[in-house]
Amino acid sequence: MQYLSDVNLRAVLSVLIGIAGGTIEISNAELYDAMLPENGQAERFRVEELREGVRLTLVPGRDLNGSHE
C-alpha cells in the first residue's frame, strides 16, 4: 500500500483525532504548507501495510537539489 484511498484516509483521521482527545486544530498556514511545501515534495509520509493495520511515518523532505533536510 503506497497511498491511502479517501475512505482509508478518513478512517485514519478518525482514529488519530480520537487518539488526540477528539479535537485537532490546524491553521490555514499549516494546511497550505502541507499541500504546497516549499521543497516541492507533495507526499511527506510513508504508508506501510502491516499484518494488523497500517503504519504512517513522516519522512524527511527533499529540497529541489535532492538533498535531505
Side-chain angles (χ1 to χ4, degrees):
M1 178 183 307
Q2 294 185 356
Y3 68 94
L4 295 172
S5 68
D6 288 347
V7 171
N8 287 340
L9 181 57
R10 288 174 184 271
V12 167
L13 285 173
S14 293
V15 171
L16 293 175
I17 292 168
I19 290 170
T23 301
I24 295 176
E25 294 185 14
I26 302 170
S27 71
N28 285 336
E30 290 170 316
L31 285 174
Y32 293 136
D33 183 50
M35 289 187 288
L36 303 167
E38 291 179 10
N39 63 17
Q41 182 180 355
E43 296 291 335
R44 295 192 296 178
F45 60 91
R46 178 182 310 118
V47 179
E48 299 173 70
E49 189 169 2
L50 304 174
R51 183 176 177 149
E52 296 184 14
V54 295
R55 176 183 295 136
L56 304 176
T57 307
L58 287 176
V59 295
R62 295 179 185 259
D63 66 23
L64 296 176
N65 296 320
S67 62
H68 286 86
E69 291 178 357

